[in-house]
Amino acid sequence: MTWGGWLTMTLSVGLVSTLFAWSVYRVLKKGNPIEKLHGIEDIDKGED
Amino acid sequence: MGVILAVAGSAVGLGNFLRFPGLAAQYGSGAFMIAYFISFLLLGIPICWAEWTLGRVAGQKGFRSSPGIFYVLIRHPIGKYLGVLGTIIPLTIYMYYVYIEAWCLGYAWYSLTGKLSLGANVAAYGDFWARFVGATENGLTISPDTNQVLVFLIIVFALNFFIIYRGLSKGIEAFCKWGMPALIILALVVLVRVLTLGTPDITKPDQNLLNGLGFMWNPSKMGGQSIMQQLANPQLWLAAAGQIFFSLSVGLGVILTYASYLTEKDDIVLSGLTASSTNEFCEVGLGGMITVPAAFIFLGAAGVVGQGTFGLGFKVLPLVFSNMPAPWLFGFAWFFLLFLAAVTSSLSMLQPGIAFLEEGLGLNRKQSVSLLGLLTAIGCLFVVYFSKDLKALDTLDFWVGTFLVFVLATITIVLFGWVMGIEKGWNEVHKGSALRIPSIYKFIIKYVCSIYLVSIFLLWIFFNVLGWNPSSHEFKPTGYITDLIGQNFNPVARLSLGVIAMMLIFFVITTAAAGRRWDLISNRSKSNLSKGGSP
């Protein structure tokens, strides 16, 4: 494995892992960013 | 967290673990990863945010299906027909994707029971796969004497519809809440195994871990070209942007439907970013570290080069795992993780169809699930029966899973940046959000993303459809065209196009019926408002 290979691997894997960890941290820190996903049963079909 | 995992589950699929590593290794990872990350920032993330926003805006107005979403956002009769794409794309993809899902489950089972330990000859694994999926002859798959793929198909088909029938919260969300973490844990287990392989065969000292990683990540593989020379190759950009595009599940109509269930309090900037980064972590951090290095360590460069997604996944890797200590354990872990990744994706493909049948035609859950089950079962049987050379699967994947996806993504980004307007879109995306998207993204979404997307689409048509050769400046239409037109046409390819046409006709007719229903409801609401009553 060349130095270029090490650099490419470290930067690529490091970047996506950091972004993933940061995003998950922000989601957990904020609590629940999405309160509740309404189920299909909640769809208003517009019927009387 | 449930919807983030559901969207991430939709995005994380077979392409993360099989297609991405093959492409990165093929194009020389250094230049490829530059093009890949630029595409992620300029194409993937902006379209993701646009889809989340458009879906939520339409959802606030009571529309959850793609035709309904386009009906309310475009406010023109033709709008709902554009939205038909957001229903037929995921449903048609489901028809063949669920078949591949059955392969993964079958391979997990065969790994566990030891039937996949076929020795050290890759040809044996190729023969096994061809027999299992019926690639040698049409109709082979429906004969119970020859293989058991139909049994696995029935299991995964039933599982998908059982989960869908349970609804969004109790079904998809609940499954993804344990399925996604399980998938990542299984991938980490396999990753640790691969990274501790060392040099398994001392008679082949070159086939070791470091050289395997080097084969995947070394930047200078394109004939000694510099990174700048490699970046001048349009095919590399096409491959990188295409991978980002399809990997994130944008342009499928899936995110639009999921986001329509959210409220203005929900943080879609962070949710979109988290779902996308989960996908990228699985793709680059896990897929990029496992597949190609493992294959190289056992088979060398010759065993990896030229293998497509299916070749790498179902011929090379079973051999790799069968040569590891405890092959049943790691083979099972690998194929079961692929199965989980496939299920979380296929579930998301059914939801837009269910939403449309319930919202547009007023069907209840049981009716909509039954109708969709019948429709997709017919399409799936078509794919399974015409299995020779996987022609039906390949044709549907090309024209729906690639061509129409490009079309829908282009419509979506134009809708967000130009029809809704970037300023309104900007306000909508930030409602409920703790994060601010950098202002440069206004310019990126409105201009860069649109131009980039259209350029990639045109490049794709030039190279992959019309077969443009930049050296000789000649067009030589690819098999996807010659299969349909000309003397040597392929009847299965034509029939596959017929399936797409029938799906289109069915959903255009039902969308017309849904449109009349929505118009009626809308007129009734306006009438009630003008009389001073409640809408």
Side-chain angles (χ1 to χ4, degrees):
Chain A
M1 186 147 163
T2 63
W3 282 109
W6 279 110
L7 190 67
T8 308
M9 185 180 82
T10 309
L11 283 177
S12 301
V13 177
L15 191 68
V16 295
S17 302
T18 306
L19 183 63
F20 173 62
W22 180 81
S23 302
V24 172
Y25 167 74
R26 288 295 302 241
V27 169
L28 296 176
K29 184 183 163 194
K30 192 173 178 180
N32 193 353
I34 290 172
E35 297 285 335
K36 178 183 181 295
L37 199 59
H38 299 291
I40 299 170
E41 64 275 14
D42 298 335
I43 294 175
D44 174 16
K45 298 191 180 72
E47 292 164 344
D48 292 329
Chain B
M1 196 68 182
V3 73
I4 295 172
L5 288 173
V7 176
S10 164
V12 176
L14 302 175
N16 297 66
F17 296 98
L18 300 179
R19 190 169 183 270
F20 164 77
L23 281 178
Q26 179 188 342
Y27 282 100
S29 302
F32 182 83
M33 292 313 295
I34 290 172
Y36 180 86
F37 282 121
I38 289 175
S39 301
F40 178 64
L41 293 173
L42 299 187
L43 203 61
I45 283 283
I47 301 180
C48 239
W49 279 327
E51 290 201 7
W52 280 80
T53 309
L54 292 173
R56 184 172 69 171
V57 169
Q60 295 297 294
K61 296 178 179 176
F63 290 89
R64 265 84 182 182
S65 69
S66 178
I69 289 169
F70 281 76
Y71 167 84
V72 74
L73 292 176
I74 296 181
R75 296 190 174 281
H76 186 279
I78 203 169
K80 58 183 177 291
Y81 295 109
L82 289 176
V84 167
L85 289 178
T87 307
I88 67 164
I89 289 173
L91 283 182
T92 310
I93 294 176
Y94 176 84
M95 290 171 185
Y96 60 82
Y97 200 84
V98 73
Y99 185 38
I100 304 169
E101 206 170 298
W103 305 351
C104 297
L105 183 63
Y107 268 53
W109 173 250
Y110 290 138
S111 298
L112 201 61
T113 53
K115 287 185 181 172
L116 210 52
S117 295
L118 302 171
N121 185 0
V122 74
Y125 294 87
D127 290 344
F128 181 90
W129 177 78
R131 266 200 320 278
F132 184 60
V133 307
T136 52
E137 196 182 328
N138 285 335
L140 200 64
T141 42
I142 59 168
S143 167
D145 302 330
T146 48
N147 65 59
Q148 297 172 319
V149 72
L150 214 54
V151 175
F152 294 108
L153 181 63
I154 291 168
I155 293 171
V156 295
F157 209 93
L159 176 70
N160 272 282
F161 274 90
F162 171 72
I163 295 170
I164 279 289
Y165 181 73
R166 286 176 59 83
L168 266 175
S169 299
K170 291 179 186 167
I172 298 176
E173 268 194 85
F175 184 82
C176 290
K177 268 181 184 170
W178 73 264
M180 284 302 293
L183 181 159
I184 291 175
I185 289 168
L186 283 174
L188 287 171
V189 168
V190 177
L191 176 63
V192 169
R193 176 65 276 198
V194 170
L195 294 182
T196 52
L197 279 171
T199 310
D201 187 350
I202 51 169
T203 62
K204 296 173 184 169
D206 288 343
Q207 290 177 211
N208 58 47
L209 174 67
L210 279 184
N211 285 347
L213 289 171
F215 186 79
M216 173 69 202
W217 294 105
N218 284 347
S220 54
K221 284 189 282 285
M222 303 286 283
Q225 290 180 330
S226 70
I227 284 189
M228 292 311 289
Q229 285 172 321
Q230 290 175 47
L231 285 173
N233 176 11
Q235 284 279 21
L236 179 140
W237 286 90
L238 183 59
Q243 179 59 26
I244 277 291
F245 194 70
F246 298 114
S247 174
L248 288 174
S249 282
V250 292
L252 293 185
V254 167
I255 298 175
L256 284 172
T257 296
Y258 275 163
S260 72
Y261 296 98
L262 305 179
T263 70
E264 289 185 351
K265 290 179 186 169
D266 297 323
D267 187 343
I268 57 174
V269 175
L270 182 58
S271 300
L273 194 63
T274 308
S276 302
S277 64
T278 305
N279 179 69
E280 291 311 302
F281 174 70
C282 289
E283 182 155 295
V284 180
L286 299 175
M289 298 293 286
I290 295 173
T291 315
V292 169
F296 181 92
I297 290 168
F298 285 95
L299 296 169
V304 182
V305 173
Q307 297 285 354
T309 302
F310 293 155
L312 201 57
F314 296 98
K315 298 173 193 173
V316 173
L317 287 178
L319 184 154
V320 168
F321 288 113
S322 72
N323 283 286
M324 285 183 182
W328 61 273
L329 175 65
F330 293 105
F332 171 78
W334 173 254
F335 286 108
F336 197 71
L337 99 82
L338 289 186
F339 169 69
L340 286 177
V343 174
T344 53
S345 298
S346 63
L347 286 173
S348 70
M349 296 168 194
L350 292 172
Q351 186 58 32
I354 293 284
F356 172 70
L357 293 176
E358 297 202 348
E359 174 184 278
L361 304 184
L363 303 184
N364 63 32
R365 175 83 54 82
K366 194 177 279 184
Q367 290 167 330
S368 60
V369 168
S370 303
L371 181 56
L372 207 66
L374 180 69
L375 203 64
T376 50
I378 292 170
C380 186
L381 278 178
F382 171 81
V383 173
V384 171
Y385 184 83
F386 292 108
S387 56
K388 188 180 179 188
D389 300 328
L390 302 177
K391 182 56 80 177
L393 187 157
D394 192 35
T395 307
L396 292 178
D397 183 48
F398 187 80
W399 290 111
V400 177
T402 311
F403 180 78
L404 288 184
V405 167
F406 265 126
V407 174
L408 184 60
T410 308
I411 293 171
T412 304
I413 204 70
V414 169
L415 185 58
F416 183 85
W418 297 84
V419 177
M420 176 188 267
I422 194 69
E423 290 303 330
K424 188 181 175 194
W426 200 251
N427 290 334
E428 290 291 344
V429 73
H430 285 106
K431 284 180 180 171
S433 170
L435 297 176
R436 294 293 300 177
I437 302 172
S439 299
I440 185 73
Y441 267 96
K442 281 187 189 178
F443 179 78
I444 289 173
I445 291 173
K446 186 157 186 175
Y447 298 105
V448 179
C449 198
S450 312
I451 294 169
Y452 195 178
L453 191 56
V454 172
S455 304
I456 292 295
F457 189 23
L458 291 177
L459 273 177
W460 179 80
I461 289 176
F462 259 63
F463 286 108
N464 295 17
V465 180
L466 301 175
W468 170 250
N469 185 333
S471 309
S472 61
H473 300 286
E474 286 176 354
F475 286 103
K476 189 182 177 192
T478 59
Y480 296 105
I481 296 293
T482 55
D483 274 350
L484 301 172
I485 304 167
Q487 291 180 331
N488 298 322
F489 72 90
N490 186 305
V492 175
R494 283 189 171 181
L495 277 174
S496 304
L497 220 60
V499 169
I500 299 168
M502 284 169 71
M503 286 284 286
L504 201 59
I505 291 167
F506 176 81
F507 279 100
V508 163
I509 291 171
T510 46
T511 297
R516 279 200 292 277
R517 193 164 175 271
W518 293 329
D519 288 340
L520 200 68
I521 294 165
S522 171
N523 291 337
R524 199 186 301 161
S525 299
K526 283 177 191 166
S527 169
N528 285 347
L529 277 175
S530 64
K531 288 176 189 168
S534 59

